[in-house]
mmCIF file of all heavy atoms in Angstrom:
data_model
loop_
_atom_site.group_PDB
_atom_site.id
_atom_site.type_symbol
_atom_site.label_atom_id
_atom_site.label_comp_id
_atom_site.label_asym_id
_atom_site.label_seq_id
_atom_site.Cartn_x
_atom_site.Cartn_y
_atom_site.Cartn_z
ATOM 1 N N MET A 55 4.551 191.844 45.266
ATOM 2 C CA MET A 55 3.468 192.349 46.093
ATOM 3 C C MET A 55 3.952 193.631 46.758
ATOM 4 O O MET A 55 5.022 193.660 47.357
ATOM 5 C CB MET A 55 3.092 191.321 47.163
ATOM 6 C CG MET A 55 2.059 191.822 48.170
ATOM 7 S SD MET A 55 0.499 192.316 47.417
ATOM 8 C CE MET A 55 -0.065 190.760 46.781
ATOM 9 N N SER A 56 3.191 194.679 46.616
ATOM 10 C CA SER A 56 3.600 195.944 47.213
ATOM 11 C C SER A 56 3.405 195.890 48.725
ATOM 12 O O SER A 56 2.569 195.143 49.242
ATOM 13 C CB SER A 56 2.759 197.092 46.636
ATOM 14 O OG SER A 56 1.385 196.882 46.934
ATOM 15 N N ILE A 57 4.157 196.676 49.445
ATOM 16 C CA ILE A 57 4.076 196.730 50.896
ATOM 17 C C ILE A 57 3.190 197.907 51.282
ATOM 18 O O ILE A 57 3.503 199.047 50.975
ATOM 19 C CB ILE A 57 5.482 196.886 51.518
ATOM 20 C CG1 ILE A 57 6.331 195.674 51.156
ATOM 21 C CG2 ILE A 57 5.404 197.042 53.021
ATOM 22 C CD1 ILE A 57 7.773 195.788 51.581
ATOM 23 N N ASP A 58 2.083 197.616 51.910
ATOM 24 C CA ASP A 58 1.125 198.676 52.198
ATOM 25 C C ASP A 58 0.743 198.733 53.674
ATOM 26 O O ASP A 58 -0.355 199.121 54.026
ATOM 27 C CB ASP A 58 -0.135 198.492 51.348
ATOM 28 C CG ASP A 58 -0.790 197.139 51.569
ATOM 29 O OD1 ASP A 58 -0.307 196.396 52.445
ATOM 30 O OD2 ASP A 58 -1.768 196.842 50.868
ATOM 31 N N PHE A 59 1.643 198.295 54.534
ATOM 32 C CA PHE A 59 1.345 198.360 55.962
ATOM 33 C C PHE A 59 2.504 199.020 56.706
ATOM 34 O O PHE A 59 3.643 198.970 56.268
ATOM 35 C CB PHE A 59 1.094 196.961 56.542
ATOM 36 C CG PHE A 59 2.210 195.994 56.304
ATOM 37 C CD1 PHE A 59 3.238 195.864 57.216
ATOM 38 C CD2 PHE A 59 2.237 195.201 55.151
ATOM 39 C CE1 PHE A 59 4.267 194.963 57.005
ATOM 40 C CE2 PHE A 59 3.266 194.301 54.939
ATOM 41 C CZ PHE A 59 4.282 194.193 55.857
ATOM 42 N N VAL A 60 2.179 199.636 57.805
ATOM 43 C CA VAL A 60 3.175 200.279 58.647
ATOM 44 C C VAL A 60 2.934 199.838 60.081
ATOM 45 O O VAL A 60 1.879 199.298 60.413
ATOM 46 C CB VAL A 60 3.105 201.819 58.551
ATOM 47 C CG1 VAL A 60 3.467 202.287 57.164
ATOM 48 C CG2 VAL A 60 1.719 202.317 58.953
ATOM 49 N N VAL A 61 3.895 200.103 60.928
ATOM 50 C CA VAL A 61 3.757 199.745 62.338
ATOM 51 C C VAL A 61 3.310 200.958 63.118
ATOM 52 O O VAL A 61 4.013 201.968 63.159
ATOM 53 C CB VAL A 61 5.099 199.241 62.907
ATOM 54 C CG1 VAL A 61 4.953 198.897 64.378
ATOM 55 C CG2 VAL A 61 5.554 198.020 62.122
ATOM 56 N N PRO A 62 2.154 200.921 63.753
ATOM 57 C CA PRO A 62 1.698 202.057 64.556
ATOM 58 C C PRO A 62 2.388 202.068 65.911
ATOM 59 O O PRO A 62 2.924 201.051 66.361
ATOM 60 C CB PRO A 62 0.203 201.778 64.717
ATOM 61 C CG PRO A 62 0.123 200.290 64.704
ATOM 62 C CD PRO A 62 1.202 199.816 63.752
ATOM 63 N N HIS A 63 2.384 203.212 66.567
ATOM 64 C CA HIS A 63 2.959 203.296 67.916
ATOM 65 C C HIS A 63 2.063 202.536 68.896
ATOM 66 O O HIS A 63 2.523 202.018 69.908
ATOM 67 C CB HIS A 63 3.106 204.753 68.348
ATOM 68 C CG HIS A 63 4.138 205.503 67.572
ATOM 69 N ND1 HIS A 63 5.482 205.230 67.666
ATOM 70 C CD2 HIS A 63 4.026 206.497 66.662
ATOM 71 C CE1 HIS A 63 6.169 206.032 66.862
ATOM 72 N NE2 HIS A 63 5.308 206.813 66.250
ATOM 73 N N GLN A 64 0.774 202.493 68.594
ATOM 74 C CA GLN A 64 -0.160 201.722 69.399
ATOM 75 C C GLN A 64 -0.784 200.665 68.503
ATOM 76 O O GLN A 64 -1.191 200.946 67.383
ATOM 77 C CB GLN A 64 -1.264 202.629 69.966
ATOM 78 C CG GLN A 64 -0.757 203.631 70.995
ATOM 79 C CD GLN A 64 -0.549 202.977 72.350
ATOM 80 O OE1 GLN A 64 -1.394 202.234 72.821
ATOM 81 N NE2 GLN A 64 0.565 203.267 72.983
ATOM 82 N N PHE A 65 -0.859 199.452 69.000
ATOM 83 C CA PHE A 65 -1.537 198.409 68.235
ATOM 84 C C PHE A 65 -3.000 198.789 68.101
ATOM 85 O O PHE A 65 -3.630 199.197 69.083
ATOM 86 C CB PHE A 65 -1.406 197.063 68.950
ATOM 87 C CG PHE A 65 -1.927 195.907 68.173
ATOM 88 C CD1 PHE A 65 -1.191 195.370 67.136
ATOM 89 C CD2 PHE A 65 -3.166 195.364 68.473
ATOM 90 C CE1 PHE A 65 -1.675 194.289 66.409
ATOM 91 C CE2 PHE A 65 -3.649 194.289 67.750
ATOM 92 C CZ PHE A 65 -2.903 193.756 66.716
ATOM 93 N N PRO A 66 -3.590 198.725 66.893
ATOM 94 C CA PRO A 66 -4.966 199.180 66.687
ATOM 95 C C PRO A 66 -5.940 198.512 67.652
ATOM 96 O O PRO A 66 -6.073 197.287 67.672
ATOM 97 C CB PRO A 66 -5.252 198.768 65.243
ATOM 98 C CG PRO A 66 -3.908 198.701 64.600
ATOM 99 C CD PRO A 66 -2.977 198.223 65.667
ATOM 100 N N LEU A 67 -6.630 199.326 68.446
ATOM 101 C CA LEU A 67 -7.553 198.778 69.434
ATOM 102 C C LEU A 67 -8.654 197.947 68.798
ATOM 103 O O LEU A 67 -9.154 196.989 69.386
ATOM 104 C CB LEU A 67 -8.166 199.923 70.258
ATOM 105 C CG LEU A 67 -7.204 200.660 71.190
ATOM 106 C CD1 LEU A 67 -7.911 201.834 71.842
ATOM 107 C CD2 LEU A 67 -6.679 199.721 72.260
#
Side-chain angles (χ1 to χ4, degrees):
M55 174 59 65
S56 61
I57 298 174
D58 57 5
F59 55 91
V60 295
V61 179
H63 292 292
Q64 293 281 314
F65 186 77
L67 291 175

